[in-house]
Amino acid sequence: MLYPVILAGGIGTRLWPLSRSAMPKQFVAIAAGQSLLESTLNRLHGLQGLGPVNIVCNIDHRFLVAQQLEQRKQSARKSGFILLEPVSRNTAPAIALAAMTAFQQDVDASLLVLPADHLISDNAAFQSAVKTGYLIAQQDSLVTFGIVPTGPETGYGYIKRGDSHKVGKGFEVAKFVEKPDLARAQAYLASGEYCWNSGMFLFKAKSYLSELERLAPDIYSHCECAFKELERDIDFLRIPEKHFEECRSESIDYAVMEKTNRAVMVPLETNWSDLGSWDAMWKQGEKDIQGNMITGDVFQIGARNSYLHSTSRLLAVLGLDNTVVVETPDAVLVAEKQQAQQVKMLVQELGAQRRKEKDHHSLVYRPWGMFESLAQGSGFQVKHIVVNPGSAISLQRHQHRSEHWTVVKGKASIYIDGREFCLEENESTFVPQGSRHRLSNHGELAVEIIEVQVGEYLGEDDIERFEDLYGR
């Protein structure tokens, strides 16, 4: 059986400010109103012989994954496992833990490894390539999918094809090539012997594990130790931090694929992108007659070949050429399009200056719902809080602030220092500093409140939890 393994652990810094470490690009609605994770899941519809979908993600994003699965009316258990990485160690260890987990369930398991943040326009071509890859993988080959190039891209790695494989339409891999300069990319394109390295793979779980043990025994050993101590937490499998943190961070390309003699490439001819920069977003989108890709409330005069994106207000643009402008409620990016790959450096500098905008939007998602900061000043902060049906914030207290809650929608169940009561629309209560409190929603509709915080310190780390439905 073929088990999809979706790698959803990236943080997508090159698409800042839309993508941030607390809400990376794979969870943001980018493609036709869907998140890239949802698009990846939908891409699997219709494939025959498919087992449960398995997802590998950062532990901090587990509720984002669970929520998007729930939105598709698919519980995490029915979807397979959600494997939680305590730290990022790149793709080779992540795939190893997924392979060990799948192999434990099915010794003949084959894995279809897909990044969660790719855009593929032709599902039929994708599924045809997967079927070919599956046949080849049954010969104990490690299959990688090469995208037939449409231009001399310098932002992708390349794969040079060798002799035709004996099964299907695959080719032996002659070599992997790092991202080239423009002249070499043009030569690769002209030769017809190269494909873009997609980062998608298909192989038997036992085939990958045997090659990993042979070629990167240290990674295999740490992953094996971590696998023996996996902890099940409701719908999640938690990787123990000790063993995983000690593991070397390495990609599957460097650890295995570039060294193995079992690598086979299956070409995939489709409109594909890893959406690794705003320039890539511009290339993939629909454009007006001036070559502009426009999203949201944008008014422009004289702009050409630009990416213009507004999420919360009117964005007015005059006379820009080959420019990226991305507006969010708390940050605006303006960059020359050819500099789009350098956004990662900008984000690193924001991190060095400890700017909260590096990691968080003004709209912050929690397992129980979300909140948005509406106003903040010396000693106060105003938030709009939404608690989903059947959800509750943790039983908690704050040492440095008091809170005023006013219900603006729904019916909230309140607990404050042993006192329990309900609040309906246009009713309010006061939460004293240091009191134990909880807000719950037992109804069928979302509860919305306006919270006014007053105190000497208003940081999110001023939370002492006593009980929590979500194991935080």
Side-chain angles (χ1 to χ4, degrees), residues 297-301 308 310 313-320 325:
D297 189 7
V298 177
F299 182 81
Q300 67 84 19
I301 296 176
L308 309 174
S310 172
R313 72 196 84 181
L314 171 66
L315 175 63
V317 175
L318 293 173
L320 293 180
V325 183

Side-chain angles (χ1 to χ4, degrees), residues 393 396-398 400-406 414-417 419 421 423 428-439 449-454:
I393 67 173
Q396 59 184 246
R397 69 181 174 193
H398 311 296
H400 302 288
R401 70 173 185 255
S402 60
E403 296 173 343
H404 301 257
W405 292 346
T406 300
I414 309 296
Y415 172 94
I416 301 177
D417 283 338
R419 187 166 61 100
F421 55 98
L423 291 180
S428 62
T429 191
F430 173 64
V431 182
Q433 179 177 326
S435 66
R436 294 192 183 200
H437 61 277
R438 167 179 268 165
L439 186 152
I449 72 168
I450 298 299
E451 176 182 272
V452 179
Q453 301 176 353
V454 178

Side-chain angles (χ1 to χ4, degrees), residues 7-28 30 36 56-61 64 85-91 115-117 274-276 278 343-345 347-348 351 357-361:
L7 304 178
I11 57 175
T13 53
R14 290 184 178 89
L15 289 188
W16 186 91
L18 198 60
S19 172
R20 308 195 193 182
S21 60
M23 186 69 170
K25 65 177 180 177
Q26 60 267 30
F27 305 116
V28 178
I30 290 178
L36 293 172
V56 184
C57 70
N58 186 286
I59 192 170
D60 293 335
H61 302 146
L64 292 173
E85 294 180 296
V87 292
S88 176
R89 285 297 178 263
N90 216 312
T91 54
D117 55 357
D274 65 355
L275 298 180
W278 287 115
V343 172
K344 184 176 182 179
M345 296 174 58
V347 174
Q348 290 172 344
E357 293 89 350
K358 168 187 174 289
D359 298 313
H360 297 281
H361 293 89

Side-chain angles (χ1 to χ4, degrees), residues 33-53:
Q34 293 182 326
S35 73
L36 293 172
L37 173 59
E38 290 172 315
S39 296
T40 304
L41 292 167
N42 290 338
R43 197 170 300 136
L44 300 169
H45 287 333
L47 270 174
Q48 299 298 313
L50 210 62
V53 177

Side-chain angles (χ1 to χ4, degrees), residues 59-60 62-63 233-234 238 364-369 371 392-396 438 460 463-472:
I59 192 170
D60 293 335
R62 63 195 186 278
F63 296 113
D233 174 13
I234 311 176
R238 293 176 179 264
V364 179
Y365 290 86
R366 289 289 186 260
W368 44 260
F371 68 82
I393 67 173
S394 59
L395 179 62
Q396 59 184 246
R438 167 179 268 165
E460 285 301 309
I463 298 177
E464 182 183 1
R465 290 190 175 95
F466 301 95
E467 295 177 10
D468 186 41
L469 296 175
Y470 314 102
R472 293 173 297 172

